[in-house]
């Protein structure tokens, strides 16, 4: 896993009146246990995936309560898991990254929302939006509106987040509707404390089993039931949700003495708004604001009575809503006009950006414009301008492969192949391998979704002058690629080449386990093979290559490009994720060293006398540890290549030099610690031959 919570999970056992100290996603997990959740599922991605990591590390606690935990194959599988709450009064929760995960889950979510639920259901979404995001920029709000799923956006405060988790289940049951709770990246990591309650064992669980099945045609998503379900949503569920939100006061109003002004904000943006007001001298260090604030911890459905009451008798209000379209701002405008509150001026996207993350600076700029206090922003602008002038602008730092990443050699091999056969079309896929689209490789013409690389290639391949290549990771393979891509390609007798990066984990999201991972937790099934799955689905051309053998990978790619075999050709590029490998090896090596045992570490270097200085090796590799330094020869001005500390000894630099016929300047060295007698004897012999002394 990317992170272990084995020490922190003890906090999940805290009882009534005790105090929890920790970060946001651990607090969410504790809130689930306090709410009597019966089952939890999810798919990795974004900080919300840590909820699954926490639960996997806390299996003893969960088993005692009878809670079922499942790592789902996809977001669709996670959302479909909530179907248990349609027929039975069981509380369930799932988690995944939005909006890409919500896209995958949308079919199940639509059916769940149409049928309605008996047991409360909570979908914890990582609202992966803004400058820290790695995905397409969209919001979850549209899904909530489309399917009539209530959307919670809690103020980033642990007490409020925990309260909204608990109230979310009750809201779901009071309105028979699934509820989404969105958490931005920073909210998942926010630190704080809250007073805990004891964990609740669910009414039905692995310990207290359901005796008889329940059937109700009215809960089946099939006409004519679907027509009645839609009407029930509007006539019964929606009013019930509005009534619950009002009675429980889920939204918060913070009073202030500047009664002619007001700010309406999403709960998740409250901290940014308060910070802006503090910088403007209109709020104190404890968050008491002079400007009244209406904090919407529930952003769908909105409560018209609360909005009109807050805005009435005000000259102007500012709606702070991140992203576009401006759903909330437009709804506020319509609500005020519909209720004849016509004397208040509504500001929003005219002062704040239509798109992009609402960082502290962005919110400060918008609030200062609203309050005609733009002079407070000028020092920040001048400081940034001065820094830009002094530094000449910050250097770009695009994301890239880790040192020793097994995927980098495959793209080096593709560049070698291009030198022989010309440019090839590469349909990319979601995962670490997407970094291939950046320099120095510039490979990957399209990306359409997780596991969809081969599907996106289906119309390109028959129109192309030569065979095209598709890239897919083993995570994408198990998520969606096996059915939507591979089965579809075999069924339609399409030609083409698929390269599967078998690095052993869902690496881009934190090295979580996959069915084909080399190492499994005891609660996971072992020995699920991609190779057997490919053969079973009818793939007749399968080759496995060692990622780090650049020449062999290039040769296999060329063979796939030129073979007479018609049909899908699959190359499995086998190389364990270097991050996970190092996490396993470092403790082992450290223990061996402390015990005085012999250890050998491989390191690569560059012979400065042989290096030509054209740096083609760097352009073909892109490894952060392969860089340049001043030429030690006073008669040569071009800098030479060098391997700096941090090299993990993967051997890519030497492999590239050999496969691409570059200069033979790379050497391989073995660093031996705690040498044995034979090692020392060999070292002395070598020193005698070289005329040097061994110490």
């Amino acid at each position: 896993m990317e992170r272990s919570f084995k020490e922190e999970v003890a906090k999940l056992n805290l009882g009534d009146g005790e105090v929890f100290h920790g970060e946001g996603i651990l607090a969410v997990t504790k809130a689930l246990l306090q709410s009597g959740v019966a089952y939890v599922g999810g798919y990795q991605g974004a900080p919300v995936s840590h909820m699954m990591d926490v639960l996997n590390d806390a299996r003893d606690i969960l088993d005692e309560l009878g809670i079922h935990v499942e790592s789902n194959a996809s977001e669709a599988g996670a959302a479909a898991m909530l179907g248990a709450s349609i027929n039975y009064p069981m509380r369930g929760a799932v988690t995944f990254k939005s909006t890409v995960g919500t896209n995958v889950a949308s079919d199940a979510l639509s059916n769940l929302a149409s049928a309605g639920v008996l047991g409360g259901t909570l979908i914890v979404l990582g609202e992966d939006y803004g400058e820290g995001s790695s995905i397409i920029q969209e919001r979850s709000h549209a899904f909530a509106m489309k399917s009539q799923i209530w959307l919670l956006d809690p103020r980033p405060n642990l007490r409020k987040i925990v309260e909204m988790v608990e109230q979310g289940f009750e809201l779901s049951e009071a309105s028979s509707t699934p509820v989404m709770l969105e958490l931005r990246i920073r909210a998942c990591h926010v630190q704080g404390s809250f007073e805990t309650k004891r964990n609740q064992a669910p009414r039905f669980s692995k310990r207290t089993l359901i005796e008889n099945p329940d059937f109700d045609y009215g809960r089946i998503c099939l006409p004519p039931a679907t027509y009645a379900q839609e009407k029930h949503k509007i006539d019964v569920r929606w009013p019930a949700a509005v009534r619950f939100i009002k009675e429980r006061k889920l939204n918060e109003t913070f009073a202030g003495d500047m009664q002619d002004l007001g700010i309406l904000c999403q709960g998740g943006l409250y901290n940014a708004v308060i910070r802006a007001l503090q910088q403007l001298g209109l709020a104190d260090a404890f968050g008491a604001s002079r400007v009244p604030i209406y904090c919407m911890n529930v952003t769908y459905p909105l409560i018209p009575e609360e909005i009109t009451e807050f805005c009435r008798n005000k000259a102007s209000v500012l709606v702070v809503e991140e992203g576009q379209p401006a759903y909330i701002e437009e709804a506020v405008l319509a609500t005020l006009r519909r209720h004849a509150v016509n004397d208040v001026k509504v500001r929003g996207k005219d002062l704040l950006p239509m798109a992009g993350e609402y960082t502290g600076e962005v919110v400060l700029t918008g609030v200062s414009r609203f309050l005609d206090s733009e002079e407070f922003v000028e020092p920040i602008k001048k400081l940034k301008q001065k820094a830009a002038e002094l530094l000449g602008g910050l250097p770009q730092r695009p994301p890239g492969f880790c040192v020793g990443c097994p995927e980098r050699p495959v793209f080096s091999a593709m560049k070698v192949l291009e030198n022989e056969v010309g440019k090839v079309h590469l349909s990319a896929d979601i995962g670490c391998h997407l970094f291939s689209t950046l320099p120095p490789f510039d490979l990957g013409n399209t990306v359409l979704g997780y596991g969809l690389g081969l599907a996106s290639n289906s119309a390109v391949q028959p129109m192309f002058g030569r065979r095209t290549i598709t890239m897919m990771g083993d995570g994408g393979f198990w998520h969606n690629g096996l059915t939507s891509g591979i089965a579809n390609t075999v069924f339609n007798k399409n030609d083409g080449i698929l390269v599967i990066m078998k690095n052993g984990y869902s690496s881009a999201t934190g090295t979580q386990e996959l069915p084909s991972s080399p190492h499994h937790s005891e609660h996971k099934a072992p020995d699920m093979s991609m190779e057997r799955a490919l053969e079973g689905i009818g793939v007749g051309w399968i080759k496995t290559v060692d990622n780090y053998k650049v020449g062999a990978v290039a040769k296999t790619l060329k063979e796939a490009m030129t073979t007479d075999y018609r049909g899908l050709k699959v190359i499995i590029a086998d190389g364990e994720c270097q991050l996970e490998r190092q996490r396993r090896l470092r403790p082992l090596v450290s223990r061996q060293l402390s015990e005085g045992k012999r250890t050998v570490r491989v390191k690569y270097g560059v012979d400065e006398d042989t290096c030509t200085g054209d740096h083609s090796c760097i352009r073909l590799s892109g490894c952060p540890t392969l860089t340049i330094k001043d030429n030690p020869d006073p008669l040569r001005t071009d800098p030479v290549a060098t391997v700096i500390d941090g090299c993990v000894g993967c051997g890519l630099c030497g492999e590239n030099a050999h496969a691409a016929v570059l200069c033979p300047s790379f050497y391989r060295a073995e660093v031996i610690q705690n040498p044995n007698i034979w090692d020392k004897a060999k070292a002395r012999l070598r020193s005698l031959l070289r005329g040097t002394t061994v110490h």
Side-chain angles (χ1 to χ4, degrees):
M1 297 294 178
E2 181 183 17
R3 179 172 174 191
S4 173
F5 288 86
K6 287 185 178 178
E7 294 182 7
E8 291 98 322
V9 293
K11 299 176 183 179
L12 299 180
N13 267 327
L14 293 174
D16 287 329
E18 296 186 87
V19 178
F20 171 99
H21 297 278
E23 68 173 300
I25 203 61
L26 195 67
V28 171
T29 313
K30 173 59 175 165
L32 293 177
L33 302 185
Q34 293 179 175
S35 301
V37 70
Y39 62 96
V40 186
Y43 191 81
Q44 54 262 19
V48 290
S49 68
H50 286 328
M51 194 169 95
M52 299 304 298
D53 298 341
V54 172
L55 291 166
N56 282 319
D57 284 336
R59 283 189 173 266
D60 290 343
I61 299 172
L62 304 177
D63 288 343
E64 187 177 335
L65 294 168
I67 300 171
H68 175 66
V69 178
E70 188 163 316
S71 298
N72 301 105
S74 69
E75 296 87 352
M81 192 178 178
L82 294 173
S85 295
I86 292 175
N87 294 90
Y88 307 103
M90 298 162 51
R91 288 185 170 181
V94 296
T95 182
F96 42 77
K97 175 161 68 173
S98 191
T99 58
V100 287
T102 319
N103 289 341
V104 175
S106 58
D107 196 10
L109 291 176
S110 293
N111 281 273
L112 182 72
S114 185
V117 293
L118 284 179
T121 58
L122 193 69
I123 304 127
V124 183
L125 298 176
E127 189 70 355
D128 202 1
Y129 181 88
E131 64 183 18
S133 171
S134 61
I135 60 166
I136 50 176
Q137 296 294 279
E138 293 181 356
R139 296 167 58 193
S140 302
H141 203 99
F143 278 96
M145 296 172 64
K146 169 187 77 70
S147 298
Q148 298 295 292
I149 297 175
W150 316 139
L151 181 62
L152 310 182
D153 188 357
R155 184 161 52 90
N157 169 288
L158 257 56
R159 285 189 293 275
K160 181 53 64 175
I161 290 173
V162 168
E163 177 193 336
M164 295 305 288
V165 170
E166 296 172 337
Q167 296 283 353
F169 280 115
E170 295 191 34
L171 170 61
S172 177
E173 289 165 351
S175 59
S176 304
T177 303
V179 171
M180 291 177 172
L181 182 138
E182 64 177 13
L183 295 171
R184 292 162 181 80
I185 290 174
R186 292 176 180 85
C188 290
H189 294 310
V190 69
Q191 296 285 323
S193 62
F194 66 94
E195 188 175 299
T196 61
K197 304 172 187 174
R198 67 180 180 86
N199 297 332
Q200 298 288 332
R203 175 181 169 189
F204 293 112
S205 70
K206 293 191 295 184
R207 290 182 172 273
T208 54
L209 303 177
I210 300 169
E211 296 296 335
N212 296 300
D214 176 82
F215 179 81
D216 181 353
Y217 179 75
R219 300 191 189 112
I220 305 299
C221 294
L222 185 71
T226 47
Y227 310 137
Q229 289 165 5
E230 183 189 25
K231 187 171 177 57
H232 193 257
K233 277 185 184 180
I234 306 304
D235 293 349
V236 179
R237 296 188 206 164
W238 193 336
V242 170
R243 186 165 56 251
F244 183 94
I245 295 164
K246 286 168 58 179
E247 290 175 355
R248 298 295 180 93
K249 294 182 169 51
L250 300 189
N251 297 316
E252 300 171 280
T253 300
F254 299 92
D257 58 55
M258 300 174 67
Q259 289 296 314
D260 59 330
L261 300 174
I263 297 176
L264 301 90
C265 69
Q266 294 168 284
L269 297 179
Y270 174 83
N271 288 5
V273 170
I274 279 294
R275 180 60 181 151
L277 292 171
Q278 287 171 343
Q279 290 178 281
L280 295 172
L282 295 173
D284 64 22
F286 300 98
S289 170
R290 293 191 59 200
V291 180
I293 300 173
Y294 176 59
C295 176
M296 290 173 278
N297 294 310
V298 184
T299 52
Y300 189 79
L302 298 178
I303 312 301
E305 296 84 354
E306 293 182 355
I307 293 171
T308 54
E309 180 63 26
F310 179 80
C311 295
R312 200 179 303 278
N313 301 323
K314 285 183 170 50
S316 181
V317 296
L318 174 68
V319 179
V320 183
E321 174 187 9
E322 186 175 53
Q324 50 80 34
Y327 297 115
I328 297 174
E329 183 179 342
E330 295 299 329
V332 168
L333 282 164
T335 297
L336 295 178
R337 299 302 173 259
R338 191 172 292 121
H339 290 79
V341 183
N342 299 314
D343 54 347
V344 58
K345 186 174 183 179
V346 177
R347 312 295 300 272
K349 296 297 184 185
D350 57 330
L351 301 178
L352 288 155
M354 176 62 80
E357 184 177 1
Y358 279 13
T359 60
E361 183 184 351
V362 168
V363 175
L364 174 61
T365 302
V367 172
S368 64
R369 288 175 181 169
F370 173 65
L371 299 171
D372 293 324
S373 303
E374 292 185 66
E375 67 274 10
F376 287 93
V377 185
E378 286 305 313
I380 298 175
K381 290 182 178 178
K382 289 179 180 178
L383 187 63
K384 290 181 67 176
Q385 184 178 357
K386 184 178 180 180
E389 291 171 355
L390 290 173
L391 300 174
L394 293 174
Q396 290 189 348
R397 290 190 61 194
F401 297 105
C402 300
V403 174
C405 175
E407 302 191 355
R408 183 183 283 109
V410 178
F411 296 109
S412 294
M414 287 185 184
K415 299 303 284 187
V416 172
L417 177 72
E418 280 190 346
N419 194 46
E420 294 187 40
V421 304
K423 282 281 188 181
V424 296
H425 176 95
L426 174 64
S427 293
D429 207 305
I430 300 293
C432 298
H433 35 270
L434 195 54
F435 295 147
S436 66
T437 60
L438 302 171
F441 302 113
D442 301 310
L443 290 166
N445 300 76
T446 55
V447 56
L448 269 296
Y450 199 25
L452 294 178
L454 192 56
S456 72
N457 187 258
S458 59
V460 174
Q461 168 59 36
M463 310 292 179
F464 222 75
R466 64 172 68 92
R467 282 178 177 142
T468 56
I469 301 175
T470 296
M471 185 64 56
M472 186 187 296
D474 42 8
F477 174 91
W478 292 113
H479 179 275
N480 202 10
L482 181 60
T483 51
S484 296
I486 297 167
N488 180 71
T489 298
V490 173
F491 180 66
N492 286 290
K493 295 185 177 181
N494 291 339
D495 201 9
I497 303 164
L498 170 64
V499 178
I500 300 176
M501 295 291 197
K502 187 181 179 182
N503 61 25
Y505 308 89
S506 188
S507 300
T509 60
T511 64
Q512 286 90 358
E513 293 176 33
L514 296 171
S516 54
S517 292
H519 308 282
H520 280 295
S521 305
E522 60 182 18
H523 52 272
K524 296 290 197 307
D527 194 31
M528 292 178 66
S529 164
M530 285 197 301
E531 290 83 351
R532 291 202 304 272
L534 288 166
E535 290 168 358
I537 214 167
V539 178
W541 196 101
I542 304 172
K543 305 280 185 182
T544 300
V545 293
D546 182 344
N547 285 30
Y548 292 103
K549 305 298 183 184
V550 175
V553 175
K555 181 181 178 182
T556 308
L557 282 166
K558 186 175 181 180
E559 181 185 348
M561 291 287 287
T562 57
T563 181
D564 292 333
Y565 179 87
R566 305 294 298 179
L568 180 63
K569 289 154 285 294
V570 178
I571 299 171
I572 298 176
D574 193 351
E576 186 182 6
C577 170
Q578 190 66 235
L579 272 181
E580 193 64 21
R581 182 173 179 272
Q582 292 300 321
R583 287 185 182 119
R584 286 191 298 103
L585 289 179
R586 280 174 184 155
L588 178 63
V589 172
S590 178
R591 186 167 62 252
Q592 289 174 337
L593 288 173
S594 66
E595 295 172 354
K597 293 181 180 178
R598 179 181 183 270
T599 65
V600 180
R601 178 170 59 89
V602 174
K603 192 180 188 311
Y604 284 79
V606 177
D607 184 345
E608 299 163 353
D609 295 329
T610 309
C611 178
T612 62
D614 74 343
H615 309 141
S616 55
C617 55
I618 296 175
R619 292 192 295 274
L620 189 57
S621 168
C623 178
T625 62
L626 180 59
T627 182
I628 58 173
K629 71 174 184 179
D630 291 337
N631 200 316
D633 188 340
L635 299 179
R636 299 167 64 193
T637 57
D638 290 336
V640 294
T642 185
V643 179
I644 61 175
D645 289 340
C647 170
V648 295
C650 72
L652 172 60
C653 46
E655 282 286 332
N656 278 344
H658 177 73
V661 197
L662 306 177
C663 71
S665 59
F666 289 93
Y667 64 83
R668 180 182 184 275
E670 290 185 350
V671 180
I672 301 175
Q673 294 172 283
N674 296 329
N676 57 29
I677 295 174
W678 178 239
D679 294 324
K680 293 176 181 178
K682 287 192 294 183
R684 287 193 181 93
L685 178 60
R686 291 187 186 117
S687 67
L688 288 172
L689 294 173
R690 290 196 303 265
T692 58
T693 303
V694 175
H695 298 284

